[in-house]
Each structure stands twice: as structure tokens, then as C-alpha cells.
Amino acid sequence: MKRLFFLIFAVPLAIALALPSSAQNRNDRPTINQLVAHDEARIAQLKAILRISEEQERDWQRFEAALKGISRKRAERRIALIDEWEKREADKEKKPLTHAEALRKHADALALRAEEIRAIADAAEPFSEKLNNWQRQQVDQIIRAYVQAPLIPE
């Protein structure tokens, strides 16, 4: 009976876990969930570094929700951009983007980025007012790194 259980459940599970990620994901590109999980791990790391007090927790939750929401939107845009590039590569007859189209796409990306930065600022303001100087420096470093991140991740 134990052997039958092993053959029915354990072997397929082991095979599924042993499959390389490329078998689960085309072209070895990240998925939306992988991108979001990476950002959520960074957010959790920030919270651990800051050692948030009970008094700061409510404002932290608002700040965290803003960061997570933006993370998901950025991941979705990144995957959509990759899909668009792949379609252009596959469709050789399609005309390349004109300079004007490329500039419009860039302007759209900048507008979305500006909205994200405003959302972070709005969520960070009440939170940062309750931080001590050391915590404020840590948050400042993270936000500066985010704001300076490239529009099109490599």
C-alpha cells in the first residue's frame, strides 16, 4: 500500500519539482508572479531592517500597499513589453516603430512612472513623519534606488 501511494503521488510530484524553470516558462523569462515576489521580498526586508514599532505599523501598511500595488503594475507592464518585443521579432513584415511612435511610447512610460512616484510620495509622507532619523535614512536610500531604476528593466 505504501509503495502504491509512493508511485501514485510522490513520483509525479518529484518529476514536477525537478522540471527546469524553462519547461514551466517560455524563453526563460520571468513571470509576473516572480517579479512581484522579488519586490515583495525586498519590501519585507525593508520592514525587517526598519524594525517597525506598533505606532508606525498603520502608516507602514499604507506605504507597503502602495509599493506592492506599483510592483504588480510594473511587472505587468514589463511582461507586456516583452510580449510586444517578441511579436515584433516574430512578425518580420511589420514595420519598425517610427521615431514619433517611439517618443510617444517613452512619454507614456514617463507619465506612468510619474504617477508611481507620486503614489509613493503620498504613502511615504505620513509614514516618514513617524520614523526616527536612522529609519528615515534607510527609507530614503530605498526610495532613491527605486526612483532611479530604469524605465525598461534589463
Side-chain angles (χ1 to χ4, degrees):
M1 186 68 174
K2 287 182 183 179
R3 187 175 184 147
L4 179 63
F5 173 80
F6 179 79
L7 290 174
I8 293 174
F9 295 106
V11 171
L13 179 62
I15 291 170
L17 292 175
L19 282 175
S21 61
S22 62
Q24 301 166 7
N25 183 14
R26 70 177 187 206
N27 299 332
D28 291 331
R29 69 179 192 181
T31 65
I32 291 174
N33 289 337
Q34 289 170 331
L35 294 171
V36 170
H38 176 74
D39 286 346
E40 286 182 357
R42 290 174 57 201
I43 293 167
Q45 181 183 24
L46 175 63
K47 183 177 182 181
I49 289 170
L50 293 178
R51 297 181 209 115
I52 304 296
S53 70
E54 288 180 23
E55 179 186 330
Q56 298 166 330
E57 184 66 33
R58 195 183 100 223
D59 293 315
W60 165 261
Q61 289 173 353
R62 181 173 175 223
F63 181 61
E64 179 183 38
L67 292 175
K68 286 181 177 182
I70 289 167
S71 171
R72 169 132 325 252
K73 289 176 189 174
R74 289 182 78 194
E76 289 169 353
R77 283 198 315 267
R78 181 174 177 186
I79 297 303
L81 184 61
I82 292 170
D83 287 341
E84 183 180 332
W85 284 343
E86 287 176 352
K87 285 179 186 176
R88 276 199 183 276
E89 289 287 319
D91 189 3
K92 299 294 183 188
E93 294 177 15
K94 193 168 189 173
K95 294 179 186 176
L97 287 177
T98 66
H99 294 296
E101 289 171 330
L103 288 171
R104 283 186 194 96
K105 281 185 160 290
H106 188 67
D108 292 342
L110 288 173
L112 289 171
R113 187 64 177 232
E115 287 177 28
E116 292 172 349
I117 293 170
R118 277 189 203 93
I120 291 173
D122 292 345
E125 189 171 32
F127 175 61
S128 67
E129 290 172 358
K130 294 184 180 168
L131 298 176
N132 62 38
N133 287 337
W134 181 84
Q135 289 173 318
R136 206 171 281 125
Q137 288 173 347
Q138 300 303 310
V139 171
D140 187 52
Q141 288 175 2
I142 297 295
I143 289 174
R144 285 180 192 273
Y146 176 80
V147 169
Q148 295 170 359
L151 289 173
I152 300 173
E154 300 177 28

